[in-house]
Amino acid sequence: MNETNQTVSLVVVGSLALDTVTTPAAMHQDVLGGSVSYACAAASFFTQAGMVGVAGTDFPESGVAQFRKFGIDLQGLHKVEGKTFRWSGEYEKNMNNRRTLSTDLNVFADFSPQLPKAYRKSPFLFLANIAPTLQLQVLAQIRKPRFVAADTMDMWIQTAPEPLRRLISKIDLLLINDSEARLLTGEEHLVKAARQVLRWGPRYVIIKKGEHGSMLVSKSGLVMIPAYPVDDVHDPTGAGDAFAGGFMGCLAASGKLTQAAVRRAMAVGTVVASFTVEAFSLDRLAVITRANIDDRITAFREMIRL
Ligand code: AMP
């Protein structure tokens, strides 16, 4: 979409999707989703995020309007002939276990992202969940980024292990959930799995453990943080992407990479993820404000004060 040369402090590439999600209570069809959508929406509360992704001709104008309302920069959003990426999944009664019913790459199958000029100097880069070859292509186009994080999932661990390992060797932070960390490393014990990933290159690994919170592992130690307890989980989809978007948005806004900045970014990611699961799609993020996030961070800090 239109190049304006507006600079961004965080570039995010990932899937732009129409999701069909079934929970024990409801089913929503073809709703706005995808890793890049959740991550950019979450980051937008903190910084100017630029979206890199591809939509098909069936992508609704209301989705684009929604992104604009979040203030996301859309110079890197391409619209091409064909169908938008579609994902469908179903949650079990406990809302933790999820089964993927279908994944149709559609326009992502032939996507070759060309970054707008204004994105190439972005200091922060988040390679949200999408084919590792696409993540590598985007990484290659950014000049000397200060901090690069990446996410992935079981599908890519199984179908694209080589490009994924190449990617992991080039980034600062890998975000991954617990079962994927075990699958990727063959190591059951999560701290050992994280240390194995550190040996492949990154400075940090964050392992997301759903309702059990998250854990950051680096050479200098370990930070554990619980999840923010939410009364009514309506749809956990996108929680991991929103965590990562909030985390990266907060880091990009502060411009610091100190221990304290990283800890604060983890709290922010946790709280933004907790809002995301309170409704389907981006519906909850669309109606909250930065003040709502800040209030929840204050309450969260109070809960974990030891
Ligand atoms: P999360 O719940 O954080 O794992 O993210 C769910 C989002 O990831 C959904 O909106 C899906 O559209 C998207 N997604 C699911 N499978 C894939 C895949 N193989 N590649 C990229 N994105 C995916």
Side-chain angles (χ1 to χ4, degrees), residues 67-191:
F67 294 148
R68 289 218 168 90
K69 254 176 106 180
F70 279 109
I72 301 165
D73 187 283
L74 299 178
Q75 293 175 67
L77 172 58
H78 303 263
K79 207 163 188 180
V80 302
E81 199 58 50
K83 281 176 86 178
T84 300
F85 175 92
R86 272 177 174 70
W87 173 80
S88 152
E90 182 175 26
Y91 290 88
E92 286 177 16
K93 221 171 173 181
N94 66 13
M95 292 292 245
N96 273 324
N97 301 340
R98 174 170 84 190
R99 206 156 54 92
T100 289
L101 301 175
S102 62
T103 305
D104 298 311
L105 288 181
N106 298 331
V107 290
F108 264 106
D110 307 308
F111 184 47
S112 176
Q114 279 304 313
L115 291 205
K117 229 170 155 187
Y119 286 16
R120 297 184 183 197
K121 286 190 198 147
S122 171
F124 289 80
L125 173 63
F126 177 45
L127 305 162
N129 178 31
I130 192 62
T133 45
L134 288 183
Q135 293 173 309
L136 280 163
Q137 269 184 41
V138 170
L139 178 59
Q141 294 174 52
I142 301 251
R143 264 179 248 135
K144 293 198 189 137
R146 279 187 64 202
F147 193 84
V148 181
D151 190 0
T152 191
M153 74 182 300
D154 48 4
M155 176 173 159
W156 307 116
I157 297 170
Q158 280 156 339
T159 63
E162 278 144 35
L164 181 59
R165 274 292 286 277
R166 213 167 339 120
L167 175 79
I168 292 173
S169 74
K170 294 172 190 275
I171 60 177
D172 299 291
L173 162 68
L174 180 71
L175 291 126
I176 192 163
N177 77 26
D178 42 9
S179 60
E180 292 155 1
R182 292 187 172 111
L183 183 67
L184 178 68
T185 61
E187 177 59 72
E188 270 304 302
H189 186 288
L190 286 180
V191 178

Side-chain angles (χ1 to χ4, degrees), residues 7-11 47-50 122-125 252-253:
T7 57
V8 297
S9 53
L10 171 66
V11 165
T47 198
Q48 177 68 68
S122 171
F124 289 80
L125 173 63

Side-chain angles (χ1 to χ4, degrees), residues 248-271:
M248 290 298 284
C250 178
L251 273 192
S254 81
K256 295 194 186 119
L257 294 169
T258 58
Q259 268 277 344
V262 170
R263 277 173 184 263
R264 176 165 166 79
M266 281 188 79
V268 164
T270 299
V271 163

